[in-house]
Amino acid sequence: MTEIDAKIDGLVSAWLTLPDIAEEFGVEVTRVRQLVKEGQLIAVRRGENRALHVPAEFIKDGKVVKGLVGTLTLLRDDGFTDEEMLEWLFTADETLPGTPAQALRENRGTEVKRRAQALAV
């Protein structure tokens, strides 16, 4: 969990708090905290009360977006910090098109993972 800077905060259009996600998943907030601890979600502190927030694009139909966990693992293995992962996931790429986060939501995760693997080279 990290503090968010203004640049990254501006890239992400919508955020959810951990209790919001717990409600959507139908689980206790401790389960969502565990997902963050396990690296399945990225949570950052933001806002006046510095509450933990997760990009809303990471959640779809009551679960973590398909392909996100694998992509985060690849990026982490490449040495990316949470902030760097967020920047990469939410920066538009004309060749994709859109952002890697949008591509994951649109079930185009294979291409996103291929690009994440290529970053290590």
Side-chain angles (χ1 to χ4, degrees), residues 7-30:
K7 178 183 175 189
I8 307 287
D9 199 22
L11 290 173
V12 180
S13 60
W15 296 90
L16 296 170
T17 64
L18 300 192
D20 293 337
I21 296 169
E23 186 176 318
E24 187 164 338
F25 286 6
V27 299
E28 296 293 323
V29 74
T30 53

PDB file of all heavy atoms in Angstrom, residues 7-30:
ATOM      1  N   LYS A   7      -0.039  12.785 -10.180  1.00  0.00           N
ATOM      2  CA  LYS A   7       0.001  12.302 -11.569  1.00  0.00           C
ATOM      3  C   LYS A   7      -0.764  10.994 -11.711  1.00  0.00           C
ATOM      4  O   LYS A   7      -1.613  10.848 -12.589  1.00  0.00           O
ATOM      5  CB  LYS A   7       1.451  12.115 -12.010  1.00  0.00           C
ATOM      6  CG  LYS A   7       1.583  11.580 -13.415  1.00  0.00           C
ATOM      7  CD  LYS A   7       3.032  11.337 -13.780  1.00  0.00           C
ATOM      8  CE  LYS A   7       3.132  10.682 -15.140  1.00  0.00           C
ATOM      9  NZ  LYS A   7       4.493  10.242 -15.419  1.00  0.00           N
ATOM     10  N   ILE A   8      -0.473  10.050 -10.855  1.00  0.00           N
ATOM     11  CA  ILE A   8      -1.147   8.745 -10.913  1.00  0.00           C
ATOM     12  C   ILE A   8      -2.621   8.912 -10.570  1.00  0.00           C
ATOM     13  O   ILE A   8      -3.489   8.332 -11.220  1.00  0.00           O
ATOM     14  CB  ILE A   8      -0.500   7.744  -9.927  1.00  0.00           C
ATOM     15  CG1 ILE A   8       0.996   7.651 -10.133  1.00  0.00           C
ATOM     16  CG2 ILE A   8      -1.173   6.384 -10.023  1.00  0.00           C
ATOM     17  CD1 ILE A   8       1.465   6.924 -11.348  1.00  0.00           C
ATOM     18  N   ASP A   9      -2.905   9.713  -9.555  1.00  0.00           N
ATOM     19  CA  ASP A   9      -4.292   9.947  -9.154  1.00  0.00           C
ATOM     20  C   ASP A   9      -5.100  10.490 -10.331  1.00  0.00           C
ATOM     21  O   ASP A   9      -6.248  10.123 -10.528  1.00  0.00           O
ATOM     22  CB  ASP A   9      -4.330  10.916  -7.971  1.00  0.00           C
ATOM     23  CG  ASP A   9      -5.647  10.864  -7.209  1.00  0.00           C
ATOM     24  OD1 ASP A   9      -6.360   9.848  -7.293  1.00  0.00           O
ATOM     25  OD2 ASP A   9      -5.957  11.850  -6.530  1.00  0.00           O
ATOM     26  N   GLY A  10      -4.479  11.329 -11.151  1.00  0.00           N
ATOM     27  CA  GLY A  10      -5.160  11.898 -12.304  1.00  0.00           C
ATOM     28  C   GLY A  10      -5.392  10.907 -13.437  1.00  0.00           C
ATOM     29  O   GLY A  10      -6.300  11.071 -14.242  1.00  0.00           O
ATOM     30  N   LEU A  11      -4.581   9.859 -13.512  1.00  0.00           N
ATOM     31  CA  LEU A  11      -4.746   8.845 -14.553  1.00  0.00           C
ATOM     32  C   LEU A  11      -5.950   7.950 -14.295  1.00  0.00           C
ATOM     33  O   LEU A  11      -6.587   7.466 -15.230  1.00  0.00           O
ATOM     34  CB  LEU A  11      -3.489   7.966 -14.652  1.00  0.00           C
ATOM     35  CG  LEU A  11      -2.225   8.605 -15.207  1.00  0.00           C
ATOM     36  CD1 LEU A  11      -1.046   7.641 -15.077  1.00  0.00           C
ATOM     37  CD2 LEU A  11      -2.410   9.018 -16.651  1.00  0.00           C
ATOM     38  N   VAL A  12      -6.241   7.708 -13.015  1.00  0.00           N
ATOM     39  CA  VAL A  12      -7.329   6.803 -12.637  1.00  0.00           C
ATOM     40  C   VAL A  12      -8.604   7.618 -12.489  1.00  0.00           C
ATOM     41  O   VAL A  12      -8.667   8.532 -11.676  1.00  0.00           O
ATOM     42  CB  VAL A  12      -6.993   6.054 -11.328  1.00  0.00           C
ATOM     43  CG1 VAL A  12      -8.117   5.115 -10.937  1.00  0.00           C
ATOM     44  CG2 VAL A  12      -5.676   5.296 -11.470  1.00  0.00           C
ATOM     45  N   SER A  13      -9.630   7.260 -13.268  1.00  0.00           N
ATOM     46  CA  SER A  13     -10.846   8.072 -13.288  1.00  0.00           C
ATOM     47  C   SER A  13     -11.779   7.823 -12.104  1.00  0.00           C
ATOM     48  O   SER A  13     -12.525   8.720 -11.715  1.00  0.00           O
ATOM     49  CB  SER A  13     -11.607   7.847 -14.596  1.00  0.00           C
ATOM     50  OG  SER A  13     -11.971   6.485 -14.715  1.00  0.00           O
ATOM     51  N   ALA A  14     -11.755   6.622 -11.535  1.00  0.00           N
ATOM     52  CA  ALA A  14     -12.678   6.308 -10.428  1.00  0.00           C
ATOM     53  C   ALA A  14     -12.004   5.343  -9.459  1.00  0.00           C
ATOM     54  O   ALA A  14     -11.247   4.460  -9.864  1.00  0.00           O
ATOM     55  CB  ALA A  14     -13.960   5.695 -10.966  1.00  0.00           C
ATOM     56  N   TRP A  15     -12.306   5.545  -8.182  1.00  0.00           N
ATOM     57  CA  TRP A  15     -11.715   4.737  -7.119  1.00  0.00           C
ATOM     58  C   TRP A  15     -12.816   4.128  -6.266  1.00  0.00           C
ATOM     59  O   TRP A  15     -13.891   4.705  -6.133  1.00  0.00           O
ATOM     60  CB  TRP A  15     -10.840   5.610  -6.229  1.00  0.00           C
ATOM     61  CG  TRP A  15      -9.657   6.205  -6.907  1.00  0.00           C
ATOM     62  CD1 TRP A  15      -9.609   7.410  -7.551  1.00  0.00           C
ATOM     63  CD2 TRP A  15      -8.352   5.656  -7.014  1.00  0.00           C
ATOM     64  NE1 TRP A  15      -8.350   7.639  -8.041  1.00  0.00           N
ATOM     65  CE2 TRP A  15      -7.551   6.578  -7.726  1.00  0.00           C
ATOM     66  CE3 TRP A  15      -7.763   4.477  -6.571  1.00  0.00           C
ATOM     67  CZ2 TRP A  15      -6.209   6.348  -8.008  1.00  0.00           C
ATOM     68  CZ3 TRP A  15      -6.420   4.247  -6.839  1.00  0.00           C
ATOM     69  CH2 TRP A  15      -5.658   5.181  -7.555  1.00  0.00           C
ATOM     70  N   LEU A  16     -12.525   2.990  -5.660  1.00  0.00           N
ATOM     71  CA  LEU A  16     -13.424   2.344  -4.700  1.00  0.00           C
ATOM     72  C   LEU A  16     -12.673   2.137  -3.394  1.00  0.00           C
ATOM     73  O   LEU A  16     -11.483   1.801  -3.404  1.00  0.00           O
ATOM     74  CB  LEU A  16     -13.879   0.979  -5.218  1.00  0.00           C
ATOM     75  CG  LEU A  16     -14.718   0.957  -6.483  1.00  0.00           C
ATOM     76  CD1 LEU A  16     -14.881  -0.473  -6.986  1.00  0.00           C
ATOM     77  CD2 LEU A  16     -16.077   1.585  -6.231  1.00  0.00           C
ATOM     78  N   THR A  17     -13.374   2.322  -2.282  1.00  0.00           N
ATOM     79  CA  THR A  17     -12.773   2.017  -0.983  1.00  0.00           C
ATOM     80  C   THR A  17     -12.872   0.511  -0.746  1.00  0.00           C
ATOM     81  O   THR A  17     -13.650  -0.193  -1.412  1.00  0.00           O
ATOM     82  CB  THR A  17     -13.491   2.754   0.163  1.00  0.00           C
ATOM     83  OG1 THR A  17     -14.841   2.277   0.230  1.00  0.00           O
ATOM     84  CG2 THR A  17     -13.460   4.271  -0.034  1.00  0.00           C
ATOM     85  N   LEU A  18     -12.100   0.014   0.199  1.00  0.00           N
ATOM     86  CA  LEU A  18     -12.154  -1.415   0.504  1.00  0.00           C
ATOM     87  C   LEU A  18     -13.546  -1.853   0.960  1.00  0.00           C
ATOM     88  O   LEU A  18     -14.020  -2.904   0.529  1.00  0.00           O
ATOM     89  CB  LEU A  18     -11.074  -1.787   1.520  1.00  0.00           C
ATOM     90  CG  LEU A  18      -9.625  -1.516   1.112  1.00  0.00           C
ATOM     91  CD1 LEU A  18      -8.658  -2.188   2.083  1.00  0.00           C
ATOM     92  CD2 LEU A  18      -9.312  -1.895  -0.304  1.00  0.00           C
ATOM     93  N   PRO A  19     -14.247  -1.055   1.801  1.00  0.00           N
ATOM     94  CA  PRO A  19     -15.615  -1.450   2.162  1.00  0.00           C
ATOM     95  C   PRO A  19     -16.556  -1.499   0.943  1.00  0.00           C
ATOM     96  O   PRO A  19     -17.442  -2.366   0.875  1.00  0.00           O
ATOM     97  CB  PRO A  19     -16.056  -0.378   3.163  1.00  0.00           C
ATOM     98  CG  PRO A  19     -14.775   0.108   3.771  1.00  0.00           C
ATOM     99  CD  PRO A  19     -13.776   0.064   2.647  1.00  0.00           C
ATOM    100  N   ASP A  20     -16.371  -0.595  -0.027  1.00  0.00           N
ATOM    101  CA  ASP A  20     -17.184  -0.636  -1.254  1.00  0.00           C
ATOM    102  C   ASP A  20     -16.975  -1.955  -1.988  1.00  0.00           C
ATOM    103  O   ASP A  20     -17.930  -2.576  -2.466  1.00  0.00           O
ATOM    104  CB  ASP A  20     -16.809   0.507  -2.207  1.00  0.00           C
ATOM    105  CG  ASP A  20     -17.166   1.884  -1.680  1.00  0.00           C
ATOM    106  OD1 ASP A  20     -18.057   1.989  -0.817  1.00  0.00           O
ATOM    107  OD2 ASP A  20     -16.541   2.864  -2.141  1.00  0.00           O
ATOM    108  N   ILE A  21     -15.729  -2.370  -2.100  1.00  0.00           N
ATOM    109  CA  ILE A  21     -15.407  -3.612  -2.801  1.00  0.00           C
ATOM    110  C   ILE A  21     -15.959  -4.809  -2.044  1.00  0.00           C
ATOM    111  O   ILE A  21     -16.529  -5.724  -2.633  1.00  0.00           O
ATOM    112  CB  ILE A  21     -13.885  -3.738  -3.009  1.00  0.00           C
ATOM    113  CG1 ILE A  21     -13.399  -2.614  -3.926  1.00  0.00           C
ATOM    114  CG2 ILE A  21     -13.523  -5.103  -3.586  1.00  0.00           C
ATOM    115  CD1 ILE A  21     -11.894  -2.476  -3.988  1.00  0.00           C
ATOM    116  N   ALA A  22     -15.812  -4.794  -0.722  1.00  0.00           N
ATOM    117  CA  ALA A  22     -16.337  -5.891   0.098  1.00  0.00           C
ATOM    118  C   ALA A  22     -17.837  -6.043  -0.121  1.00  0.00           C
ATOM    119  O   ALA A  22     -18.338  -7.166  -0.259  1.00  0.00           O
ATOM    120  CB  ALA A  22     -16.030  -5.637   1.573  1.00  0.00           C
ATOM    121  N   GLU A  23     -18.539  -4.917  -0.171  1.00  0.00           N
ATOM    122  CA  GLU A  23     -19.981  -4.963  -0.401  1.00  0.00           C
ATOM    123  C   GLU A  23     -20.296  -5.543  -1.781  1.00  0.00           C
ATOM    124  O   GLU A  23     -21.175  -6.386  -1.925  1.00  0.00           O
ATOM    125  CB  GLU A  23     -20.574  -3.554  -0.275  1.00  0.00           C
ATOM    126  CG  GLU A  23     -22.081  -3.529  -0.361  1.00  0.00           C
ATOM    127  CD  GLU A  23     -22.636  -2.136  -0.127  1.00  0.00           C
ATOM    128  OE1 GLU A  23     -22.141  -1.447   0.788  1.00  0.00           O
ATOM    129  OE2 GLU A  23     -23.559  -1.761  -0.864  1.00  0.00           O
ATOM    130  N   GLU A  24     -19.549  -5.123  -2.792  1.00  0.00           N
ATOM    131  CA  GLU A  24     -19.780  -5.617  -4.152  1.00  0.00           C
ATOM    132  C   GLU A  24     -19.476  -7.115  -4.264  1.00  0.00           C
ATOM    133  O   GLU A  24     -20.151  -7.844  -4.966  1.00  0.00           O
ATOM    134  CB  GLU A  24     -18.939  -4.836  -5.156  1.00  0.00           C
ATOM    135  CG  GLU A  24     -19.267  -5.205  -6.589  1.00  0.00           C
ATOM    136  CD  GLU A  24     -18.751  -4.227  -7.608  1.00  0.00           C
ATOM    137  OE1 GLU A  24     -18.499  -3.054  -7.272  1.00  0.00           O
ATOM    138  OE2 GLU A  24     -18.613  -4.642  -8.761  1.00  0.00           O
ATOM    139  N   PHE A  25     -18.423  -7.576  -3.562  1.00  0.00           N
ATOM    140  CA  PHE A  25     -18.046  -8.981  -3.589  1.00  0.00           C
ATOM    141  C   PHE A  25     -18.920  -9.839  -2.672  1.00  0.00           C
ATOM    142  O   PHE A  25     -18.923 -11.053  -2.779  1.00  0.00           O
ATOM    143  CB  PHE A  25     -16.597  -9.159  -3.133  1.00  0.00           C
ATOM    144  CG  PHE A  25     -15.555  -8.737  -4.130  1.00  0.00           C
ATOM    145  CD1 PHE A  25     -15.865  -8.118  -5.331  1.00  0.00           C
ATOM    146  CD2 PHE A  25     -14.220  -8.959  -3.850  1.00  0.00           C
ATOM    147  CE1 PHE A  25     -14.876  -7.727  -6.228  1.00  0.00           C
ATOM    148  CE2 PHE A  25     -13.226  -8.576  -4.744  1.00  0.00           C
ATOM    149  CZ  PHE A  25     -13.554  -7.965  -5.931  1.00  0.00           C
ATOM    150  N   GLY A  26     -19.605  -9.183  -1.728  1.00  0.00           N
ATOM    151  CA  GLY A  26     -20.399  -9.927  -0.753  1.00  0.00           C
ATOM    152  C   GLY A  26     -19.537 -10.637   0.278  1.00  0.00           C
ATOM    153  O   GLY A  26     -19.848 -11.744   0.717  1.00  0.00           O
ATOM    154  N   VAL A  27     -18.424  -9.991   0.661  1.00  0.00           N
ATOM    155  CA  VAL A  27     -17.500 -10.569   1.640  1.00  0.00           C
ATOM    156  C   VAL A  27     -17.187  -9.531   2.713  1.00  0.00           C
ATOM    157  O   VAL A  27     -17.556  -8.367   2.591  1.00  0.00           O
ATOM    158  CB  VAL A  27     -16.181 -11.044   0.973  1.00  0.00           C
ATOM    159  CG1 VAL A  27     -16.448 -12.117  -0.060  1.00  0.00           C
ATOM    160  CG2 VAL A  27     -15.419  -9.876   0.356  1.00  0.00           C
ATOM    161  N   GLU A  28     -16.476  -9.965   3.736  1.00  0.00           N
ATOM    162  CA  GLU A  28     -16.028  -9.048   4.783  1.00  0.00           C
ATOM    163  C   GLU A  28     -14.865  -8.210   4.246  1.00  0.00           C
ATOM    164  O   GLU A  28     -14.111  -8.663   3.388  1.00  0.00           O
ATOM    165  CB  GLU A  28     -15.568  -9.830   6.015  1.00  0.00           C
ATOM    166  CG  GLU A  28     -16.668 -10.615   6.691  1.00  0.00           C
ATOM    167  CD  GLU A  28     -17.717  -9.723   7.335  1.00  0.00           C
ATOM    168  OE1 GLU A  28     -17.344  -8.670   7.884  1.00  0.00           O
ATOM    169  OE2 GLU A  28     -18.900 -10.091   7.286  1.00  0.00           O
ATOM    170  N   VAL A  29     -14.695  -7.018   4.790  1.00  0.00           N
ATOM    171  CA  VAL A  29     -13.613  -6.133   4.354  1.00  0.00           C
ATOM    172  C   VAL A  29     -12.250  -6.768   4.617  1.00  0.00           C
ATOM    173  O   VAL A  29     -11.294  -6.507   3.884  1.00  0.00           O
ATOM    174  CB  VAL A  29     -13.742  -4.734   4.985  1.00  0.00           C
ATOM    175  CG1 VAL A  29     -13.366  -4.737   6.447  1.00  0.00           C
ATOM    176  CG2 VAL A  29     -12.922  -3.713   4.218  1.00  0.00           C
ATOM    177  N   THR A  30     -12.153  -7.642   5.599  1.00  0.00           N
ATOM    178  CA  THR A  30     -10.878  -8.316   5.875  1.00  0.00           C
ATOM    179  C   THR A  30     -10.460  -9.190   4.692  1.00  0.00           C
ATOM    180  O   THR A  30      -9.260  -9.340   4.430  1.00  0.00           O
ATOM    181  CB  THR A  30     -10.951  -9.176   7.151  1.00  0.00           C
ATOM    182  OG1 THR A  30     -12.071 -10.055   7.048  1.00  0.00           O
ATOM    183  CG2 THR A  30     -11.090  -8.310   8.395  1.00  0.00           C
TER     184      THR A  30
END
